[in-house]
Amino acid sequence: MTGTTTGNVEASVLRVSALTKAYGPGTSLLSRFATGRAGTLKALDGVDLHVRPGEILALVGESGSGKSTLAKILVGSTSPTSGDVSIAGEPAPASRTKESSRRVQMVFQDPYSSLNPRIPVGRMLSELLLLHRIVPRAEVRAESVRLLNLVGLEEDVLTAYPSQFSGGQRQRLAIARALAVRPEVLIADEPVSALDVSVQATILELFATLRTELGLSILFIAHNLAVVQHLADRVAVMYLGRIVEVAPTAQLFTEPRHPYTRALIDSIPRMTETSVNDGFEVDGEPPSPYDVPAGCRFHPRCPLASEVCRENDPPLLAVGPAHESACLKADELALIPVPNVPLEQR
Ligand SMILES: Nc1ncnc2c1ncn2[C@@H]1O[C@H](COP(=O)(O)OP(=O)(O)OP(=O)(O)O)[C@@H](O)[C@H]1O
Ligand code: SF4
Ligand SMILES: [Mg+2]
C-alpha cells in the first residue's frame, strides 16, 4: 500500500465527503416490532466519492449496502445525518432549490414510479420544459421530439400514455424525462435490473451513447459487476455502508485490491466450463447494518482475515494511481492473481 490518503482535489461534478446516514429505531412500538430492532441502522457510514465530468462511474454492491440511500441523498430526496455533498464544486443546499435539483436527475429501476400514467408523453415533457424554462414555448414540441429521438423513440409517441409502452421503452422515456431539464449528472439506480437480458443490452448502449453525445456524467448503480464491465470508466464497490474499493474498470477486474471485489469478480459466470473456486467466494448474508462488525467490517466473511483485521477499521487509501482500497492486506492480495478465465459477455 502506498500509504497516501484519498483526499485528491480533481475536478468533480458531484462529490460526497464523510457522508453518513443513520435510521433511528422509530418511536412507535409498531415500528420496533416491524424491524425487530431498537438500535440505530447505519445505512451509510462515512462515504467519500466523486463523479468526474463526463465519466460513467459504477456503484456496485450487495442488497442493503446503501447504494439507493446514497443516490437519494445525491438527488436531495433525503438528507444525510452528517457529511458534505457538493455539486460542481459548490455545497449542495440542505433544501434543494429548483436549480440544484435540476442539475442532478435520477432514473429508477422501475420507470413507472417516475411517470404519471394519466399524462401523455408530450404533455409530460412540455410541462417540464416550460417549468424549467429550457426552451421558449414555440420550441417545446421540437425539443420534445429531439429528446425522444435522443433516447431512440419516435415523434409518434408524443400522444401515447406510459402504460402503452414496453419495459424497455418506458425506461427510455424515463431517461428522456430526466434529460429534459439538461442535468449535469444522471443517477441511474439499477435501471436495467427489471428488464429482460436482451433489452438490458440496448439500454446499456443508450447510456454509453448519451455519455458520448452529451458529455453527461453518469452514476450507474448495479448489484452485479458484470453489468458495468463494458460501460463504466471507473467502479466503486460498496460494502455495508462504505466504499471499500475504487478503480478504473479494467484495473478493478484484473487487479482487485479488496477481497470483497475479488469475490464479486469470481462470482461472474465464465465463458468456459472451468469454474473459479479459489477461496474468495462470499457466502450468506452480510452482517446487519444495526450491528456493524468491529475492526474491518468485512472480516466475518473474509478469507484473508486475521487478528489485525478484527482490531483495525481500514480507511480507503491509495494503492496505485486512481486506485483505492480499504483493506489492510491489499498488498498481499495483489500477489494472488485473478484466474485468467474469460468472463461471460453481457
Ligand atoms: N427509510 C428507511 N428506514 C429505515 N431503514 C432504511 C430506510 N431506507 C433504507 N433503509 C435501510 O438502509 C440500508 C441500505 O438500504 P439501501 O436501499 O440504500 O440499499 P441498496 O444497496 O440500495 O439495496 P438494494 O440493492 O436492495 O436496492 C438497508 O439496511 C435498508 O434496510
Ligand atoms: S482488512 Fe482484513 S478482513 Fe478486511 S478485507 Fe482486508 S484482509 Fe479482509
Ligand atoms: Mg437500492
Side-chain angles (χ1 to χ4, degrees), residues 293-332:
C296 172
R297 60 198 52 220
F298 188 57
H299 86 252
R301 301 168 92 192
C302 181
L304 299 184
S306 64
E307 201 47 40
V308 68
C309 307
R310 287 181 266 281
E311 289 169 2
N312 297 283
D313 187 4
L316 193 62
L317 294 176
V319 292
H323 195 160
E324 298 162 0
S325 164
C327 172
L328 297 165
K329 301 189 182 182
D331 291 345
E332 193 178 315

mmCIF file of all heavy atoms in Angstrom, residues 293-332:
data_model
loop_
_atom_site.group_PDB
_atom_site.id
_atom_site.type_symbol
_atom_site.label_atom_id
_atom_site.label_comp_id
_atom_site.label_asym_id
_atom_site.label_seq_id
_atom_site.Cartn_x
_atom_site.Cartn_y
_atom_site.Cartn_z
ATOM 1 N N PRO A 293 -19.752 -5.042 12.256
ATOM 2 C CA PRO A 293 -18.630 -5.673 12.967
ATOM 3 C C PRO A 293 -17.528 -4.669 13.314
ATOM 4 O O PRO A 293 -17.261 -3.753 12.540
ATOM 5 C CB PRO A 293 -18.104 -6.709 11.964
ATOM 6 C CG PRO A 293 -19.239 -6.955 11.035
ATOM 7 C CD PRO A 293 -20.021 -5.691 10.963
ATOM 8 N N ALA A 294 -16.893 -4.873 14.465
ATOM 9 C CA ALA A 294 -15.761 -4.021 14.855
ATOM 10 C C ALA A 294 -14.582 -4.338 13.937
ATOM 11 O O ALA A 294 -14.542 -5.385 13.294
ATOM 12 C CB ALA A 294 -15.390 -4.316 16.299
ATOM 13 N N GLY A 295 -13.614 -3.424 13.895
ATOM 14 C CA GLY A 295 -12.466 -3.618 13.013
ATOM 15 C C GLY A 295 -12.898 -3.488 11.571
ATOM 16 O O GLY A 295 -13.741 -2.658 11.248
ATOM 17 N N CYS A 296 -12.334 -4.311 10.693
ATOM 18 C CA CYS A 296 -12.770 -4.285 9.301
ATOM 19 C C CYS A 296 -14.163 -4.897 9.205
ATOM 20 O O CYS A 296 -14.371 -6.040 9.623
ATOM 21 C CB CYS A 296 -11.796 -5.071 8.425
ATOM 22 S SG CYS A 296 -12.413 -5.249 6.743
ATOM 23 N N ARG A 297 -15.100 -4.149 8.625
ATOM 24 C CA ARG A 297 -16.496 -4.629 8.585
ATOM 25 C C ARG A 297 -16.654 -5.889 7.725
ATOM 26 O O ARG A 297 -17.651 -6.587 7.833
ATOM 27 C CB ARG A 297 -17.432 -3.517 8.104
ATOM 28 C CG ARG A 297 -17.146 -2.981 6.732
ATOM 29 C CD ARG A 297 -17.810 -1.637 6.513
ATOM 30 N NE ARG A 297 -17.467 -0.739 7.593
ATOM 31 C CZ ARG A 297 -18.322 0.110 8.169
ATOM 32 N NH1 ARG A 297 -19.557 0.205 7.733
ATOM 33 N NH2 ARG A 297 -17.950 0.876 9.164
ATOM 34 N N PHE A 298 -15.660 -6.194 6.895
ATOM 35 C CA PHE A 298 -15.759 -7.379 6.047
ATOM 36 C C PHE A 298 -15.155 -8.621 6.719
ATOM 37 O O PHE A 298 -15.269 -9.725 6.202
ATOM 38 C CB PHE A 298 -15.054 -7.092 4.706
ATOM 39 C CG PHE A 298 -15.248 -8.158 3.661
ATOM 40 C CD1 PHE A 298 -16.519 -8.538 3.248
ATOM 41 C CD2 PHE A 298 -14.162 -8.788 3.078
ATOM 42 C CE1 PHE A 298 -16.700 -9.532 2.290
ATOM 43 C CE2 PHE A 298 -14.332 -9.779 2.125
ATOM 44 C CZ PHE A 298 -15.606 -10.149 1.726
ATOM 45 N N HIS A 299 -14.547 -8.459 7.913
ATOM 46 C CA HIS A 299 -13.745 -9.578 8.440
ATOM 47 C C HIS A 299 -14.532 -10.878 8.690
ATOM 48 O O HIS A 299 -13.981 -11.957 8.461
ATOM 49 C CB HIS A 299 -12.910 -9.157 9.675
ATOM 50 C CG HIS A 299 -13.597 -9.227 10.989
ATOM 51 N ND1 HIS A 299 -14.000 -8.117 11.704
ATOM 52 C CD2 HIS A 299 -13.954 -10.304 11.767
ATOM 53 C CE1 HIS A 299 -14.563 -8.494 12.827
ATOM 54 N NE2 HIS A 299 -14.560 -9.806 12.887
ATOM 55 N N PRO A 300 -15.832 -10.824 9.102
ATOM 56 C CA PRO A 300 -16.502 -12.121 9.327
ATOM 57 C C PRO A 300 -16.642 -12.972 8.061
ATOM 58 O O PRO A 300 -16.864 -14.167 8.140
ATOM 59 C CB PRO A 300 -17.884 -11.713 9.873
ATOM 60 C CG PRO A 300 -17.700 -10.321 10.392
ATOM 61 C CD PRO A 300 -16.689 -9.690 9.484
ATOM 62 N N ARG A 301 -16.515 -12.354 6.881
ATOM 63 C CA ARG A 301 -16.689 -13.101 5.629
ATOM 64 C C ARG A 301 -15.407 -13.176 4.812
ATOM 65 O O ARG A 301 -15.415 -13.692 3.696
ATOM 66 C CB ARG A 301 -17.770 -12.430 4.772
ATOM 67 C CG ARG A 301 -19.114 -12.330 5.448
ATOM 68 C CD ARG A 301 -20.039 -11.404 4.658
ATOM 69 N NE ARG A 301 -20.863 -12.086 3.693
ATOM 70 C CZ ARG A 301 -21.570 -11.469 2.752
ATOM 71 N NH1 ARG A 301 -21.506 -10.164 2.635
ATOM 72 N NH2 ARG A 301 -22.320 -12.156 1.926
ATOM 73 N N CYS A 302 -14.315 -12.654 5.347
ATOM 74 C CA CYS A 302 -13.115 -12.510 4.524
ATOM 75 C C CYS A 302 -12.154 -13.689 4.682
ATOM 76 O O CYS A 302 -11.753 -14.020 5.802
ATOM 77 C CB CYS A 302 -12.389 -11.218 4.904
ATOM 78 S SG CYS A 302 -10.906 -10.963 3.909
ATOM 79 N N PRO A 303 -11.750 -14.319 3.562
ATOM 80 C CA PRO A 303 -10.825 -15.452 3.650
ATOM 81 C C PRO A 303 -9.421 -15.056 4.101
ATOM 82 O O PRO A 303 -8.656 -15.913 4.537
ATOM 83 C CB PRO A 303 -10.800 -15.995 2.216
ATOM 84 C CG PRO A 303 -11.275 -14.888 1.350
ATOM 85 C CD PRO A 303 -12.185 -14.051 2.188
ATOM 86 N N LEU A 304 -9.075 -13.777 4.039
ATOM 87 C CA LEU A 304 -7.732 -13.339 4.447
ATOM 88 C C LEU A 304 -7.716 -12.766 5.864
ATOM 89 O O LEU A 304 -6.667 -12.313 6.341
ATOM 90 C CB LEU A 304 -7.195 -12.267 3.482
ATOM 91 C CG LEU A 304 -7.024 -12.637 2.009
ATOM 92 C CD1 LEU A 304 -6.397 -11.465 1.248
ATOM 93 C CD2 LEU A 304 -6.166 -13.876 1.856
ATOM 94 N N ALA A 305 -8.879 -12.757 6.536
ATOM 95 C CA ALA A 305 -8.970 -12.070 7.839
ATOM 96 C C ALA A 305 -8.036 -12.679 8.881
ATOM 97 O O ALA A 305 -7.837 -13.896 8.932
ATOM 98 C CB ALA A 305 -10.406 -12.112 8.341
ATOM 99 N N SER A 306 -7.438 -11.829 9.698
ATOM 100 C CA SER A 306 -6.631 -12.280 10.834
ATOM 101 C C SER A 306 -6.887 -11.316 11.987
ATOM 102 O O SER A 306 -7.706 -10.404 11.870
ATOM 103 C CB SER A 306 -5.145 -12.312 10.461
ATOM 104 O OG SER A 306 -4.717 -10.996 10.183
ATOM 105 N N GLU A 307 -6.173 -11.507 13.089
ATOM 106 C CA GLU A 307 -6.412 -10.711 14.293
ATOM 107 C C GLU A 307 -6.374 -9.203 14.001
ATOM 108 O O GLU A 307 -7.205 -8.435 14.494
ATOM 109 C CB GLU A 307 -5.358 -11.079 15.357
ATOM 110 C CG GLU A 307 -5.749 -10.728 16.771
ATOM 111 C CD GLU A 307 -7.163 -11.163 17.147
ATOM 112 O OE1 GLU A 307 -7.595 -12.281 16.753
ATOM 113 O OE2 GLU A 307 -7.850 -10.374 17.822
ATOM 114 N N VAL A 308 -5.391 -8.793 13.193
ATOM 115 C CA VAL A 308 -5.227 -7.358 12.909
ATOM 116 C C VAL A 308 -6.496 -6.778 12.271
ATOM 117 O O VAL A 308 -6.846 -5.617 12.476
ATOM 118 C CB VAL A 308 -3.972 -7.131 12.015
ATOM 119 C CG1 VAL A 308 -4.160 -7.686 10.611
ATOM 120 C CG2 VAL A 308 -3.590 -5.666 11.953
ATOM 121 N N CYS A 309 -7.225 -7.599 11.521
ATOM 122 C CA CYS A 309 -8.440 -7.132 10.839
ATOM 123 C C CYS A 309 -9.603 -6.976 11.820
ATOM 124 O O CYS A 309 -10.525 -6.197 11.575
ATOM 125 C CB CYS A 309 -8.851 -8.121 9.758
ATOM 126 S SG CYS A 309 -7.537 -8.513 8.597
ATOM 127 N N ARG A 310 -9.570 -7.753 12.894
ATOM 128 C CA ARG A 310 -10.643 -7.645 13.885
ATOM 129 C C ARG A 310 -10.457 -6.424 14.767
ATOM 130 O O ARG A 310 -11.377 -5.989 15.439
ATOM 131 C CB ARG A 310 -10.715 -8.926 14.726
ATOM 132 C CG ARG A 310 -11.293 -10.108 13.949
ATOM 133 C CD ARG A 310 -11.388 -11.371 14.787
ATOM 134 N NE ARG A 310 -10.204 -12.213 14.623
ATOM 135 C CZ ARG A 310 -9.999 -13.026 13.579
ATOM 136 N NH1 ARG A 310 -10.889 -13.117 12.625
ATOM 137 N NH2 ARG A 310 -8.899 -13.747 13.493
ATOM 138 N N GLU A 311 -9.261 -5.873 14.764
ATOM 139 C CA GLU A 311 -8.962 -4.759 15.674
ATOM 140 C C GLU A 311 -8.842 -3.405 14.971
ATOM 141 O O GLU A 311 -8.841 -2.369 15.631
ATOM 142 C CB GLU A 311 -7.657 -5.057 16.421
ATOM 143 C CG GLU A 311 -7.843 -6.168 17.429
ATOM 144 C CD GLU A 311 -6.531 -6.681 17.986
ATOM 145 O OE1 GLU A 311 -5.475 -6.135 17.597
ATOM 146 O OE2 GLU A 311 -6.577 -7.619 18.784
ATOM 147 N N ASN A 312 -8.685 -3.403 13.656
ATOM 148 C CA ASN A 312 -8.461 -2.144 12.945
ATOM 149 C C ASN A 312 -9.483 -1.954 11.827
ATOM 150 O O ASN A 312 -9.742 -2.883 11.058
ATOM 151 C CB ASN A 312 -7.056 -2.128 12.328
ATOM 152 C CG ASN A 312 -5.993 -2.192 13.401
ATOM 153 O OD1 ASN A 312 -5.702 -1.204 14.062
ATOM 154 N ND2 ASN A 312 -5.431 -3.385 13.596
ATOM 155 N N ASP A 313 -10.026 -0.742 11.770
ATOM 156 C CA ASP A 313 -11.016 -0.398 10.749
ATOM 157 C C ASP A 313 -10.275 0.292 9.600
ATOM 158 O O ASP A 313 -9.894 1.454 9.725
ATOM 159 C CB ASP A 313 -12.053 0.542 11.374
ATOM 160 C CG ASP A 313 -13.212 0.832 10.441
ATOM 161 O OD1 ASP A 313 -13.251 0.251 9.342
ATOM 162 O OD2 ASP A 313 -14.082 1.634 10.821
ATOM 163 N N PRO A 314 -10.034 -0.403 8.472
ATOM 164 C CA PRO A 314 -9.172 0.186 7.442
ATOM 165 C C PRO A 314 -9.842 1.333 6.691
ATOM 166 O O PRO A 314 -10.964 1.182 6.204
ATOM 167 C CB PRO A 314 -8.900 -0.987 6.486
ATOM 168 C CG PRO A 314 -9.969 -1.978 6.750
ATOM 169 C CD PRO A 314 -10.499 -1.757 8.126
ATOM 170 N N PRO A 315 -9.154 2.484 6.578
ATOM 171 C CA PRO A 315 -9.677 3.569 5.747
ATOM 172 C C PRO A 315 -9.415 3.292 4.274
ATOM 173 O O PRO A 315 -8.609 2.415 3.941
ATOM 174 C CB PRO A 315 -8.872 4.785 6.223
ATOM 175 C CG PRO A 315 -7.572 4.209 6.679
ATOM 176 C CD PRO A 315 -7.857 2.820 7.190
ATOM 177 N N LEU A 316 -10.111 4.033 3.410
ATOM 178 C CA LEU A 316 -9.881 3.917 1.970
ATOM 179 C C LEU A 316 -8.585 4.655 1.639
ATOM 180 O O LEU A 316 -8.503 5.870 1.803
ATOM 181 C CB LEU A 316 -11.074 4.549 1.249
ATOM 182 C CG LEU A 316 -11.249 4.321 -0.240
ATOM 183 C CD1 LEU A 316 -11.452 2.844 -0.568
ATOM 184 C CD2 LEU A 316 -12.453 5.125 -0.756
ATOM 185 N N LEU A 317 -7.578 3.908 1.187
ATOM 186 C CA LEU A 317 -6.273 4.511 0.900
ATOM 187 C C LEU A 317 -5.847 4.223 -0.533
ATOM 188 O O LEU A 317 -6.266 3.225 -1.128
ATOM 189 C CB LEU A 317 -5.199 3.936 1.833
ATOM 190 C CG LEU A 317 -5.314 4.237 3.314
ATOM 191 C CD1 LEU A 317 -4.216 3.506 4.078
ATOM 192 C CD2 LEU A 317 -5.223 5.735 3.573
ATOM 193 N N ALA A 318 -4.991 5.104 -1.056
ATOM 194 C CA ALA A 318 -4.460 4.888 -2.398
ATOM 195 C C ALA A 318 -3.568 3.651 -2.405
ATOM 196 O O ALA A 318 -2.715 3.483 -1.530
ATOM 197 C CB ALA A 318 -3.675 6.110 -2.846
ATOM 198 N N VAL A 319 -3.809 2.765 -3.399
ATOM 199 C CA VAL A 319 -2.930 1.599 -3.579
ATOM 200 C C VAL A 319 -2.245 1.649 -4.939
ATOM 201 O O VAL A 319 -1.522 0.738 -5.325
ATOM 202 C CB VAL A 319 -3.702 0.264 -3.423
ATOM 203 C CG1 VAL A 319 -4.162 0.057 -1.992
ATOM 204 C CG2 VAL A 319 -4.895 0.207 -4.385
ATOM 205 N N GLY A 320 -2.506 2.711 -5.685
ATOM 206 C CA GLY A 320 -1.925 2.911 -7.003
ATOM 207 C C GLY A 320 -2.570 4.136 -7.602
ATOM 208 O O GLY A 320 -3.489 4.692 -7.004
ATOM 209 N N PRO A 321 -2.120 4.556 -8.788
ATOM 210 C CA PRO A 321 -2.722 5.728 -9.419
ATOM 211 C C PRO A 321 -4.225 5.492 -9.636
ATOM 212 O O PRO A 321 -4.606 4.495 -10.231
ATOM 213 C CB PRO A 321 -1.986 5.849 -10.758
ATOM 214 C CG PRO A 321 -0.756 5.026 -10.602
ATOM 215 C CD PRO A 321 -1.055 3.960 -9.602
ATOM 216 N N ALA A 322 -5.048 6.380 -9.111
ATOM 217 C CA ALA A 322 -6.513 6.308 -9.273
ATOM 218 C C ALA A 322 -7.130 5.039 -8.694
ATOM 219 O O ALA A 322 -8.248 4.676 -9.029
ATOM 220 C CB ALA A 322 -6.897 6.456 -10.746
ATOM 221 N N HIS A 323 -6.384 4.322 -7.856
ATOM 222 C CA HIS A 323 -6.890 3.061 -7.304
ATOM 223 C C HIS A 323 -6.847 3.142 -5.774
ATOM 224 O O HIS A 323 -5.792 3.422 -5.204
ATOM 225 C CB HIS A 323 -6.010 1.906 -7.810
ATOM 226 C CG HIS A 323 -6.614 0.556 -7.608
ATOM 227 N ND1 HIS A 323 -6.208 -0.544 -8.326
ATOM 228 C CD2 HIS A 323 -7.582 0.106 -6.764
ATOM 229 C CE1 HIS A 323 -6.909 -1.602 -7.945
ATOM 230 N NE2 HIS A 323 -7.746 -1.227 -6.985
ATOM 231 N N GLU A 324 -7.985 2.903 -5.130
ATOM 232 C CA GLU A 324 -8.066 2.996 -3.676
ATOM 233 C C GLU A 324 -8.722 1.738 -3.108
ATOM 234 O O GLU A 324 -9.634 1.186 -3.718
ATOM 235 C CB GLU A 324 -8.900 4.225 -3.278
ATOM 236 C CG GLU A 324 -8.284 5.528 -3.744
ATOM 237 C CD GLU A 324 -9.257 6.693 -3.758
ATOM 238 O OE1 GLU A 324 -10.432 6.501 -3.412
ATOM 239 O OE2 GLU A 324 -8.835 7.794 -4.131
ATOM 240 N N SER A 325 -8.234 1.337 -1.945
ATOM 241 C CA SER A 325 -8.793 0.141 -1.302
ATOM 242 C C SER A 325 -8.829 0.337 0.210
ATOM 243 O O SER A 325 -7.949 0.985 0.780
ATOM 244 C CB SER A 325 -7.927 -1.081 -1.639
ATOM 245 O OG SER A 325 -8.218 -2.149 -0.754
ATOM 246 N N ALA A 326 -9.863 -0.242 0.826
ATOM 247 C CA ALA A 326 -9.959 -0.203 2.292
ATOM 248 C C ALA A 326 -9.676 -1.608 2.821
ATOM 249 O O ALA A 326 -10.554 -2.266 3.380
ATOM 250 C CB ALA A 326 -11.338 0.273 2.719
ATOM 251 N N CYS A 327 -8.463 -2.082 2.576
ATOM 252 C CA CYS A 327 -8.079 -3.420 3.057
ATOM 253 C C CYS A 327 -6.662 -3.353 3.619
ATOM 254 O O CYS A 327 -5.753 -2.830 2.959
ATOM 255 C CB CYS A 327 -8.151 -4.441 1.924
ATOM 256 S SG CYS A 327 -7.481 -6.055 2.384
ATOM 257 N N LEU A 328 -6.486 -3.923 4.797
ATOM 258 C CA LEU A 328 -5.167 -3.911 5.431
ATOM 259 C C LEU A 328 -4.194 -4.827 4.694
ATOM 260 O O LEU A 328 -2.987 -4.742 4.880
ATOM 261 C CB LEU A 328 -5.297 -4.368 6.891
ATOM 262 C CG LEU A 328 -6.164 -3.463 7.782
ATOM 263 C CD1 LEU A 328 -6.531 -4.178 9.080
ATOM 264 C CD2 LEU A 328 -5.450 -2.150 8.067
ATOM 265 N N LYS A 329 -4.745 -5.739 3.877
ATOM 266 C CA LYS A 329 -3.874 -6.700 3.192
ATOM 267 C C LYS A 329 -3.959 -6.540 1.668
ATOM 268 O O LYS A 329 -3.839 -7.509 0.923
ATOM 269 C CB LYS A 329 -4.256 -8.118 3.601
ATOM 270 C CG LYS A 329 -4.129 -8.333 5.115
ATOM 271 C CD LYS A 329 -4.291 -9.779 5.485
ATOM 272 C CE LYS A 329 -4.194 -9.936 7.007
ATOM 273 N NZ LYS A 329 -4.301 -11.332 7.426
ATOM 274 N N ALA A 330 -4.161 -5.288 1.239
ATOM 275 C CA ALA A 330 -4.282 -5.025 -0.204
ATOM 276 C C ALA A 330 -3.024 -5.473 -0.943
ATOM 277 O O ALA A 330 -3.105 -5.992 -2.063
ATOM 278 C CB ALA A 330 -4.546 -3.541 -0.441
ATOM 279 N N ASP A 331 -1.860 -5.315 -0.322
ATOM 280 C CA ASP A 331 -0.607 -5.706 -0.994
ATOM 281 C C ASP A 331 -0.507 -7.228 -1.099
ATOM 282 O O ASP A 331 -0.060 -7.770 -2.114
ATOM 283 C CB ASP A 331 0.605 -5.172 -0.221
ATOM 284 C CG ASP A 331 0.693 -3.652 -0.328
ATOM 285 O OD1 ASP A 331 0.010 -3.097 -1.203
ATOM 286 O OD2 ASP A 331 1.425 -3.037 0.471
ATOM 287 N N GLU A 332 -0.958 -7.924 -0.048
ATOM 288 C CA GLU A 332 -0.940 -9.399 -0.051
ATOM 289 C C GLU A 332 -1.860 -9.923 -1.161
ATOM 290 O O GLU A 332 -1.520 -10.854 -1.886
ATOM 291 C CB GLU A 332 -1.429 -9.877 1.321
ATOM 292 C CG GLU A 332 -1.197 -11.323 1.598
ATOM 293 C CD GLU A 332 -1.668 -11.669 3.015
ATOM 294 O OE1 GLU A 332 -1.370 -10.926 3.975
ATOM 295 O OE2 GLU A 332 -2.349 -12.695 3.142
#
